[in-house]
Amino acid sequence: MIKVGISGADTPMAGELLRLCLHHPDVEIVSVYAPDKAGHPVSSQHHGFIGEERILFTSNFDATALDVAFLIKPLYSATDWVKLMADRPQLKLVLFSDAAKDGLADACAPVYGLSELNRKPLVRGARTAVVPNPLASPILIALYPLAKHLLLSGDLNVEIIAPSDLIGDEVVVGARQELVDELPKIQTSFNGKVVMTCTPSESDRAIRIRILLPTSTGVEEIFKIYNSIYDDHNFTYVVHHPVSTAEVEGTNKVLISVTEKTGLGIMLDIVADPRMRGGAGEAIHLMNLLFNLHEKTGLELKTSAWRKN
C-alpha cells in the first residue's frame, strides 16, 4: 500500500483528494495534516465523510512514514524536503501551486505534471511532480497535438467559462504563464500572446473553453492528428460535436470537440472538471504514474446521480 500524507487537509481541494484516496485500492491514508483542526474527524470539514470518523485531522506530519506527500499548503523548508528525499529514497512529492513556491520547486526540480505532455518522464524515475493550473491543464491538452504539428500561429484567443473562484487574477495569470512556458517547448516557432476572456459559470464543477484556431487544415486531418497522439491515453477524447459539461463532472476526462468554422478555421470546444483536472484527480493520476500503477486506478468512471437523458 502507498502511504499517503496531505498537508492543507482542511482545504476544499483536500476534501476532493481525500475522497479519491479513500476509494483508491492501493492507498493507505496516514497523515491528514491540519493542525488547527487536530483531533476532529474530517467529516467536520468535508462533506460526504459522515460514517468515516476514523479519519482524523492531525497536527503531526511525519514524512519519514510516507511514500507520497500531497502538498496543498507549504510545509517545511525546501532544504528540509531535499534532506528528507535523500534520506527516504522511496518518498515522492506531488505539489500544488501554493506549495511549489518558496524555492521548493527549484530545489526538487519537479516534472510539470501533465501526463499528456510528460508521461515518459513521470514513469521513468521522477520523484516530484507539480499539478498544473486548472485552466492551463485542459488548454494545453487541446493545443499540444496542434503545436506538435506546427499549427499554432499568431496570438491565441481563449474564451473561458469557469467557476468564479478559478477566474480570479492569480489563477488566470498563473495559467497564462504556464501556457507561455510550455507551448514554445512544443512548437519552438510559437511566440504569440495568450489572450484570455473569462466568464463565471453556473456550475461549480465544470469548465468550458473555446479556442478559434485559424488554419487551412481540415477537420478530418485535425482528428487524425489528435488520434495519433492520444489514442493510447486514458482521459482525453476527441469528438465531432460540443458536449454537455455533465459528461465530465466528477471525472478526470478532458473532452475536445472539433468543428469547422467556414472561412475562419476550426473551433475547439473543451470541457473538463477543474476540481479534477488541474486538481485532485490530476494529483492522483500523477501518483499512479510515479508509482507505475495503471493511470485509471482509483479514477474510473464514478457512479452518477440519475438524470433524465
Side-chain angles (χ1 to χ4, degrees):
M1 299 292 280
I2 300 170
K3 299 183 187 314
V4 165
I6 302 171
S7 77
D10 54 345
T11 62
M13 185 60 69
E16 194 77 359
L17 187 58
L18 279 165
R19 281 184 281 273
L20 293 172
C21 285
L22 189 63
H23 294 286
H24 194 292
D26 297 296
V27 160
E28 177 186 352
I29 301 171
V30 172
S31 181
V32 185
Y33 182 75
D36 291 344
K37 296 178 174 60
H40 295 282
V42 296
S43 60
S44 65
Q45 182 71 19
H46 302 304
H47 71 84
F49 284 94
I50 294 175
E52 303 293 341
E53 277 73 11
R54 63 185 176 81
I55 307 175
L56 304 177
F57 291 115
T58 178
S59 59
N60 178 49
F61 193 91
D62 182 6
T64 64
L66 303 177
D67 297 311
V68 60
F70 292 104
L71 301 185
I72 296 174
K73 289 185 177 179
L75 182 68
Y76 307 149
S77 69
T79 302
D80 289 336
W81 279 114
V82 170
K83 185 176 186 305
L84 281 165
M85 298 283 279
D87 292 343
R88 189 171 174 80
Q90 70 269 43
L91 177 63
K92 303 184 193 306
L93 301 182
V94 176
L95 310 177
F96 289 78
S97 59
D98 286 347
K101 300 173 183 175
D102 301 324
L104 182 55
D106 291 337
C108 295
V111 175
Y112 184 66
L114 197 60
S115 73
E116 284 80 359
L117 275 65
N118 292 323
R119 186 163 59 178
K120 286 183 179 179
L122 289 165
V123 300
R124 294 181 179 178
R127 296 187 61 196
T128 309
V130 60
V131 177
N133 175 289
L135 303 182
S137 176
I139 295 172
L140 279 169
I141 289 169
L143 293 180
Y144 172 64
L146 308 179
K148 285 281 286 185
H149 285 76
L150 309 180
L151 291 177
L152 301 186
S153 61
D155 297 340
L156 287 174
N157 293 288
V158 182
E159 177 189 351
I160 299 170
I161 305 171
S164 57
D165 63 308
L166 296 180
I167 54 177
D169 288 347
E170 184 176 357
V171 179
V172 172
V173 169
R176 185 182 293 110
Q177 188 60 54
E178 289 184 22
L179 293 170
V180 169
D181 289 344
E182 297 299 322
L183 286 174
K185 296 177 185 176
I186 307 163
Q187 180 180 323
T188 56
S189 61
F190 176 72
N191 59 3
K193 296 178 182 178
V194 178
V195 181
M196 294 182 174
T197 304
C198 300
T199 304
S201 71
E202 296 181 2
S203 169
D204 190 50
R205 299 257 4 179
I207 181 172
R208 184 179 292 278
I209 299 163
R210 296 187 179 99
I211 305 172
L212 180 61
L213 192 70
T215 179
S216 59
T217 306
V219 169
E220 293 308 316
E221 185 61 30
I222 295 292
F223 265 84
K224 290 178 182 178
I225 290 171
Y226 275 113
N227 289 330
S228 70
I229 292 177
Y230 289 147
D231 64 343
D232 65 342
H233 286 256
N234 288 286
F235 298 112
T236 298
Y237 301 94
V238 186
V239 296
H240 283 86
H241 54 85
V243 296
S244 166
T245 55
E247 291 290 338
V248 295
E249 292 175 8
T251 81
N252 209 44
K253 295 177 183 178
V254 175
L255 303 183
I256 305 166
S257 163
V258 183
T259 54
E260 186 173 359
K261 304 293 284 186
T262 304
L264 297 175
I266 60 168
M267 174 65 77
L268 306 179
D269 189 291
I270 309 140
V271 292
D273 181 338
R275 313 302 178 187
M276 294 288 285
R277 289 312 298 244
E282 200 102 68
I284 293 294
H285 188 186
L286 291 173
M287 179 191 71
N288 288 343
L289 294 172
L290 293 173
F291 286 91
N292 294 307
L293 301 176
H294 191 279
E295 288 182 275
K296 295 184 75 172
T297 306
L299 293 170
E300 291 84 358
L301 182 64
K302 69 180 180 66
T303 301
S304 298
W306 179 90
R307 68 172 65 233
K308 185 176 181 180
N309 289 324

